[in-house]
């Protein structure tokens, strides 16, 4: 990577399949930046091994060692700052972040959520979509703000729900879409094509709807 390309810090708690997608996008040149560090709050996260195998620096900030969310977030923020990232990518990072942390990285902090936000914030998104009789599930990349899963959407991709779908089958069909959506959306932020406005994401300066721009991979 050249010095001019963007720097990413990627935070995860588990499997790391989205990390894998970022690494593929980095190597293909689709991502105009590089993952400089992978940080996990869980020492046993499988995603750490993916990073190590790719030669990427890994760090663990184990949340169980801190007495409060504030104390954990303080150490996490200091660790992130060491790497001077332009964008911080939450990829299956399953911790609620404090307002202080989120404000410190305002406009640089993005997340992927497995639903068509603003629908189904929180957990068990696919099951809740099925229970509600939805015909579509999907995933959304959004800026992170202090309210859980309520930050302004950047891009979202719908995935059809089929007869007989379970939460597991739907999750496994949505995941490959996540892998294409997330590096693409991160690149828009890295390159300044999308930014965080007062209350919404801005696409080349134009206000986006709450869930972000609808995106279907070509
Ligand atoms: C992904 O499906 C992501 O959308 C979800 O966790 C999974 C992580 O998978 N994130 C959330 O639910 C955040 N609320 P991965 O570790 O294989 O990338």
């Amino acid at each position: 990577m050249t010095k001019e390309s963007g720097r990413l810090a990627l935070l995860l708690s588990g499997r790391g399949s989205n990390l894998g997608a970022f690494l593929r996008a980095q190597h293909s040149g689709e991502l105009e930046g590089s993952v400089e560090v992978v940080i996990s709050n869980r020492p046993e996260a499988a995603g750490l091994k993916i990073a190590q195998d790719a030669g990427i620096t890994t760090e663990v900030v184990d949340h169980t060692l801190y007495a409060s969310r504030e104390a954990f977030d303080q150490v996490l923020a200091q660790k992130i700052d060491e790497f001077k990232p332009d964008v911080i990518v939450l990829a299956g990072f399953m911790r609620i972040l404090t307002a202080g942390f989120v404000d410190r990285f305002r406009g640089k902090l993005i997340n992927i959520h497995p639903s068509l936000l603003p629908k189904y914030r929180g957990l068990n998104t696919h099951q809740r979509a099925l229970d509600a009789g939805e015909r579509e599930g999907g995933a959304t990349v959004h800026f992170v703000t202090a309210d859980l899963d309520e930050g302004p959407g950047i891009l979202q991709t719908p995935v059809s729900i089929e007869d007989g779908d379970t939460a597991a089958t739907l999750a496994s069909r949505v995941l490959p879409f996540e892998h294409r959506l997330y590096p693409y959306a991160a690149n828009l932020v890295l390159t300044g094509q999308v930014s965080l406005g007062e209350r919404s994401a801005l696409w080349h300066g134009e206000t986006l709807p709450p869930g972000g721009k609808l995106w279907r991979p070509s």
Side-chain angles (χ1 to χ4, degrees):
M1 278 295 150
T2 65
K3 270 196 171 142
E4 293 75 34
S5 69
R7 299 170 63 83
L8 284 89
L10 188 144
L11 277 52
L12 53 73
S13 302
R15 179 176 60 179
S17 72
N18 276 288
L19 166 63
F22 271 85
L23 297 180
R24 288 192 294 279
Q26 181 176 323
H27 292 137
S28 71
E30 182 205 329
L31 185 68
E32 295 173 61
S34 54
V35 180
E36 297 294 327
V37 63
V38 171
I39 306 175
S40 178
N41 63 309
R42 293 189 181 278
E44 74 284 4
L48 289 170
K49 171 90 167 57
I50 295 174
Q52 285 154 4
D53 288 350
I56 293 168
T57 303
T58 58
E59 300 278 354
V60 173
V61 184
D62 183 344
H63 66 276
T64 64
L65 303 180
Y66 298 90
S68 66
R69 281 193 193 281
E70 286 74 17
F72 168 74
D73 280 7
Q74 182 70 28
V75 174
L76 181 63
Q78 283 165 358
K79 190 52 75 185
I80 290 169
D81 280 342
E82 284 176 25
F83 293 87
K84 299 185 173 40
D86 300 301
V87 174
I88 301 145
V89 173
L90 306 184
F93 185 68
M94 306 307 270
R95 295 291 301 166
I96 293 173
L97 296 162
T98 57
F101 180 96
V102 169
D103 288 347
R104 179 170 175 156
F105 297 112
R106 190 177 193 280
K108 290 181 162 191
L109 193 55
I110 61 174
N111 181 44
I112 190 161
H113 182 74
S115 78
L116 295 175
L117 289 173
K119 287 184 171 177
Y120 311 116
R121 300 176 175 125
L123 298 173
N124 301 322
T125 54
H126 299 306
Q127 188 60 56
R128 286 159 59 214
L130 290 170
D131 291 347
E134 300 281 1
R135 295 317 305 159
E136 285 183 328
T140 305
V141 177
H142 64 96
F143 284 109
V144 178
T145 58
D147 302 307
L148 183 67
D149 300 332
E150 288 196 29
I154 298 170
L155 278 186
Q156 66 181 191
T157 191
V159 177
S160 297
I161 290 177
E162 290 169 9
D163 291 346
D165 256 339
T166 63
T169 59
L170 182 55
S172 68
R173 278 212 323 288
V174 170
L175 195 61
F177 284 86
E178 292 190 30
H179 294 164
R180 298 183 67 184
L181 178 77
Y182 205 3
Y184 183 81
N187 205 50
L188 294 173
V189 180
L190 261 184
T191 55
Q193 297 177 74
V194 169
S195 59
L196 178 57
E198 193 80 6
R199 283 195 191 78
S200 56
L202 305 174
W203 177 285
H204 295 279
E206 302 263 330
T207 300
L208 287 174
K213 197 176 167 76
L214 195 64
W215 186 75
R216 294 176 197 273
S218 49

